[in-house]
């Protein structure tokens, strides 16, 4: 039997100071805990109900506002007031009303380090696996406990290893790869497993792409989605904080529950078809379907690289008048990069509604809701019934390139043909 360890086993072993294997149940310390404007108030209430007076470490709590910012209702505004009062009372300084989507901000501000164990009261917390953290979403009761004690019980997950080799073709990229994975693994195929990503296609992938892939681990049921840290990770993190080097590279003889391989050279743009994230087909199969709204943004695909990908497809053209195009860089930093590159002007000129950093229409909470019968094409991560408004509406998921190409014609379009 192999004796080597996976990244997840290495992270837990290093945190617990002894050998930890998949299947072990351990109480592990938390390096960071993230709450946002929707789940934060619930977690804070749980914290109080557990007799919480002071949080375990104000420096390790991250508090962000993104789902309903600016407030779209009086209850949302009250939540914001409660969250701010909590931050001030507890001396939490890692909080900001203006920065953007929680996951993007947590990573770009250097709040998460390789080898960390991080929890967030949001399912896409798994995105921090892109910098080599074991990061996972938890419920509000667990978060109340984590805020108070700074530790939680974990059952260390078994790992599914996914290797990708090859070079992406023109206008094909990480989102197409992760949609294909979701199609193959299934929406519950990795339930309570860690996904560990590797291979040459990952080594040469920018951090934005790694974040896209790790972000969607939960869409396969994954507890975590980890890209072992390498030179690309350290380069990304170098100006964002000081990080101790950690040796968490998986062993060559690590025990995996399953191994999967992809050659991205032959991958075509992929689309998730309503109403399941694993109902995935190559774009050719759905090309021509009429679209009423295109959304380019979210924690999945709201980074500058995504904006650039969309802008390259747009070129000097104009978006179709037959649909609404909503573009939202995921954070203030990503917005500024997009602005300074002249892309905001280009998008607005082309007819897009460019909004300030927030979750936007991703989960149909704040704005950009769909009417019955309407069709959305979105670079976000979920397309279940009712996700972006009416339960009678349809949501397709795709890459920024496919979204931009489709926005040009008002129908699902293969970006390689633009
Ligand atoms: C509101 C929050 C609990 C939710 C999540 O956990 O993912 C949201 O961010 C989403 O994408 O559906
Ligand atoms: S952008 Fe979408 S998926 Fe990401 S945290 Fe916000 S609502 Fe959730």
């Amino acid at each position: 039997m192999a004796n080597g360890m996976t990244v997840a086993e290495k992270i837990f072993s290093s945190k617990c100071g002894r050998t930890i294997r998949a299947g072990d149940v351990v109480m592990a310390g938390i390096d960071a805990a993230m709450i946002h404007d929707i789940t934060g108030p619930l977690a804070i209430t749980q914290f109080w109900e557990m007799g919480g007076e002071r949080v375990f470490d104000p420096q390790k709590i991250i508090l962000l506002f993104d789902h309903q910012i600016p407030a779209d209702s009086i209850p949302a505004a009250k939540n914001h007031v409660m969250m701010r009062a909590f931050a001030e009372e507890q001396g939490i300084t890692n909080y900001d009303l203006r920065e953007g989507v929680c996951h993007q901000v947590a990573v770009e501000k250097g709040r998460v380090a390789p080898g960390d164990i991080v929890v967030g009261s949001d399912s896409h917390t798994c995105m921090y696996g892109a910098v080599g953290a074991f990061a996972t979403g938890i419920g509000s009761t667990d978060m109340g406990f984590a805020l108070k004690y700074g530790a939680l019980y974990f059952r260390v997950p078994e790992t599914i290893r996914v290797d990708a080799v090859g070079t992406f073709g023109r206008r094909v990229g990480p989102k197409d790869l992760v949609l294909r994975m979701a199609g193959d693994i299934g929406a519950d195929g990795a339930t309570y497993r860690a996904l560990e990503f590797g291979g040459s296609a990952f080594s040469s992938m920018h951090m934005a792409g790694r974040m896209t892939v790790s972000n969607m681990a939960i869409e396969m049921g994954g507890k975590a989605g980890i890209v072992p840290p390498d030179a690309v990770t350290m380069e990304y993190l170098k100006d964002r904080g000081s990080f101790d080097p950690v040796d968490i590279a998986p062993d060559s003889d690590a025990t995996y529950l399953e191994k999967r391989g992809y050659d991205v050279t032959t991958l075509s743009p992929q689309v998730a078809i309503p109403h399941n994230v694993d109902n995935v087909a190559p774009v050719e199969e759905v090309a021509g379907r009429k679209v009423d709204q295109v959304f380019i943004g979210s924690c999945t695909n709201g980074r500058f690289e995504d904006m650039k990908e969309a802008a390259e497809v747009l070129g000097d053209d104009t978006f179709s008048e037959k649909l609404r195009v909503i573009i939202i860089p995921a954070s203030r930093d990503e917005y500024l990069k997009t602005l300074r590159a002249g892309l905001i002007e280009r998008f607005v000129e082309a007819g897009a509604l460019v909004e300030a950093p927030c979750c936007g229409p991703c989960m149909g909470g704040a704005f950009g809701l769909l009417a019955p019968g309407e069709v959305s094409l979105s670079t976000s991560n979920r397309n279940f019934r009712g996700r972006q408004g009416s339960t009678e509406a349809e949501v397709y998921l795709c890459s920024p390139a496919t979204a931009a190409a489709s926005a040009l014609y008002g129908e699902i379009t293969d970006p390689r043909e633009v």
Side-chain angles (χ1 to χ4, degrees):
M1 198 191 118
N3 287 318
M5 291 200 202
T6 64
V7 178
E9 290 172 325
K10 285 212 172 172
I11 293 176
F12 278 96
S13 299
S14 119
K15 289 290 170 193
C16 298
R18 63 196 159 90
T19 300
I20 303 290
R21 292 292 186 175
D24 290 351
V25 175
V26 296
M27 174 67 89
I30 302 298
D31 295 294
M34 190 284 295
I35 55 177
H36 59 55
D37 54 347
I38 291 204
T39 53
L42 300 169
I44 293 167
T45 305
Q46 290 295 325
F47 168 79
W48 284 332
E49 281 178 7
M50 281 174 209
E53 286 177 3
R54 309 301 305 169
V55 294
F56 74 104
D57 181 349
Q59 289 307 314
K60 293 187 174 172
I61 315 260
I62 311 164
L63 205 142
L64 291 159
F65 299 75
D66 54 359
H67 287 69
Q68 292 171 292
I69 188 98
D72 57 354
S73 65
I74 294 169
K78 285 184 176 166
N79 280 346
H80 295 172
V81 169
M82 181 213 192
M83 297 267 289
R84 296 174 74 174
F86 183 73
E88 268 146 46
E89 162 201 306
Q90 298 288 331
I92 298 169
T93 51
N94 294 327
Y95 98 93
D96 204 305
L97 284 168
R98 309 156 302 178
E99 290 293 339
V101 182
C102 57
H103 306 308
Q104 176 59 27
V105 177
V107 174
E108 81 185 17
K109 296 290 177 217
R111 306 273 183 247
V112 183
D116 275 0
I117 297 178
V118 184
V119 292
S121 48
D122 187 286
S123 59
H124 298 102
T125 304
C126 53
M127 191 180 99
Y128 320 161
V131 294
F134 185 95
T136 198
I138 59 173
S140 301
T141 310
D142 281 347
M143 185 53 90
F145 186 94
L147 292 176
K148 182 162 156 56
Y149 297 105
L152 267 184
Y153 276 113
F154 292 87
R155 182 192 172 279
V156 179
E158 285 78 16
T159 295
I160 299 176
R161 170 86 187 184
V162 183
D163 280 288
V165 298
T167 309
F168 288 109
R170 179 174 164 271
R171 295 191 174 153
V172 184
K175 182 60 169 293
D176 302 300
L177 173 61
V178 73
L179 285 174
R180 189 60 262 146
M181 281 181 207
D184 296 342
I185 293 173
D188 57 2
T191 300
Y192 216 98
R193 311 294 182 215
L195 286 159
E196 185 182 292
F197 304 112
S200 58
F202 277 98
S203 330
S204 55
M205 195 183 286
H206 49 51
M207 289 304 293
R210 296 180 186 190
M211 288 185 220
T212 300
V213 175
S214 292
N215 179 281
M216 289 194 67
I218 184 63
E219 302 312 324
M220 295 167 258
K223 187 88 182 150
I226 311 175
V227 184
D230 61 9
V232 177
T233 324
M234 298 327 282
E235 174 63 26
Y236 175 85
L237 291 175
K238 85 174 187 314
D239 298 325
R240 298 172 199 270
S242 59
F243 300 99
D244 297 331
V246 282
D247 178 19
I248 51 166
D251 293 322
S252 54
D253 59 348
T255 307
Y256 295 105
L257 196 69
E258 194 186 327
K259 284 187 180 182
R260 287 178 177 265
Y262 289 89
D263 184 347
V264 302
T265 315
T266 52
L267 188 70
S268 54
Q270 304 287 308
V271 176
I273 299 170
H275 297 281
N276 292 305
V277 70
D278 55 0
N279 188 11
V280 175
V283 68
E284 304 87 284
E285 284 181 27
V286 285
R289 295 197 194 171
K290 190 180 144 296
V291 175
D292 299 292
Q293 178 168 295
V294 164
F295 168 46
I296 303 176
S298 84
C299 54
T300 321
N301 279 118
R303 283 165 279 279
F304 174 61
E305 289 79 355
D306 302 311
M307 300 296 141
K308 228 168 58 184
E309 186 178 311
E312 271 161 27
V313 173
L314 169 64
D316 296 331
D317 225 324
T318 305
F319 293 126
S320 163
E321 283 171 16
K322 290 185 242 150
L323 80 174
R324 305 179 292 279
V325 181
I326 302 173
I327 302 183
I328 314 184
S331 69
R332 199 151 59 109
D333 281 4
E334 299 303 303
Y335 190 106
L336 280 170
K337 282 191 251 172
T338 311
L339 181 77
R340 288 177 183 139
L343 307 186
I344 300 278
E345 185 175 353
R346 187 73 274 282
F347 291 147
V348 173
E349 230 169 41
L353 303 168
V354 181
E355 307 288 346
C358 66
C359 296
C362 173
M363 75 165 213
F367 60 85
L369 276 71
L370 304 172
E374 281 200 308
V375 175
S376 156
L377 184 67
S378 176
T379 65
S380 52
N381 48 32
R382 289 191 171 147
N383 66 342
F384 53 75
R385 219 177 248 288
R387 172 70 177 177
Q388 294 183 351
S390 168
T391 51
E392 304 304 315
E394 293 187 326
V395 181
Y396 290 76
L397 305 175
C398 67
S399 71
T402 302
S406 308
L408 288 174
Y409 294 99
E411 59 184 46
I412 298 180
T413 302
D414 186 337
R416 296 168 301 183
E417 287 173 7
V418 175

